[in-house]
Amino acid sequence: MSDLSPDDIVITQAGIGAGGSVREALEGRADIMAMTQATHDAALKPGDAGGLSHGERAALAARVARLNEDETLAAHYMTLLEESGADEAIAAMADPAHDGEGNARRAAILAYTDLVSTHPRDTTPEDVEALKSAGISDADIVRLSELNAFLAYQIRVIAGLKLMRATA
C-alpha cells in the first residue's frame, strides 16, 4: 500500500500515475511529499490568514502559475479561488495583466509577487519598503513571502517530476 496521498497536488499536477519508476521514486520520499502537501495547505488556507485572505492567496498562486506558463496548476488555484468566495476585484489579481487598478495595496502586492516569481534576484529592500508604504504589515509581508517561496518550490518540483516522467 502506498504512503502517498491520493490527493497530493504535486503528484497530480505532474501527471504521475499509479505505477512506474517515478512513482516508485516518490514512494521512497512519501514523507517529503506529505510535508509539501501540508505546506501547500498552510500557505493557501492557513487557520489565521492575517491580512492576506484565502482568496488573495489563491489568486496570487494562479497568477504565479500563469507567469510560469503552467495553466494546469493555475486551474487548480482558480478552483481554490472560486471556493474562497472572493469578489471580482480579488479574482482579477489572478490575471498577470491586472495591475491592481489604482488600489495601492493590491498594486504593491502584485508588483512584488510578479518580481519575486519572475526575477527574484532583482528584489531589493526598496521592494519591501514599497509594500510597507502601501500599508502592508510586516506580518503580512512575511505571509506573502512565504506564499511566493512555496510557489517557487512547488512549480519547480512539478516541472522536475514532469521531466522525469517524460524521460522514464
Side-chain angles (χ1 to χ4, degrees), residues 38-165:
T39 304
H40 167 277
D41 297 344
L44 276 298
K45 292 184 172 182
D48 176 9
L52 199 59
S53 72
H54 291 174
E56 288 174 317
R57 292 166 189 258
L60 291 170
R63 182 184 187 95
V64 170
R66 287 180 173 140
L67 288 170
N68 283 277
E69 301 176 358
D70 191 336
E71 278 300 321
T72 305
L73 185 59
H76 162 71
Y77 285 122
M78 291 303 290
T79 299
L80 292 184
L81 178 60
E82 287 180 31
E83 291 172 358
S84 76
D87 63 24
E88 288 182 26
I90 292 174
M93 296 170 72
D95 180 354
H98 180 70
D99 65 0
E101 294 183 348
N103 180 304
R105 179 185 175 277
R106 288 191 184 126
I109 289 172
L110 295 174
Y112 180 79
T113 296
D114 290 356
L115 178 64
V116 299
S117 63
T118 59
H119 299 93
R121 79 170 80 168
D122 296 337
T123 306
T124 66
E126 288 78 22
D127 298 310
V128 174
E129 287 303 318
L131 290 169
K132 290 180 181 179
S133 294
I136 300 166
S137 71
D138 288 345
D140 288 334
I141 291 170
V142 170
R143 289 178 179 102
L144 181 60
S145 297
E146 289 171 341
L147 176 63
N148 279 296
F150 170 72
L151 293 168
Y153 163 76
Q154 182 190 48
I155 288 168
R156 282 156 184 77
V157 170
I158 291 170
L161 290 173
K162 285 179 178 177
L163 181 62
M164 289 174 62
R165 182 176 48 93

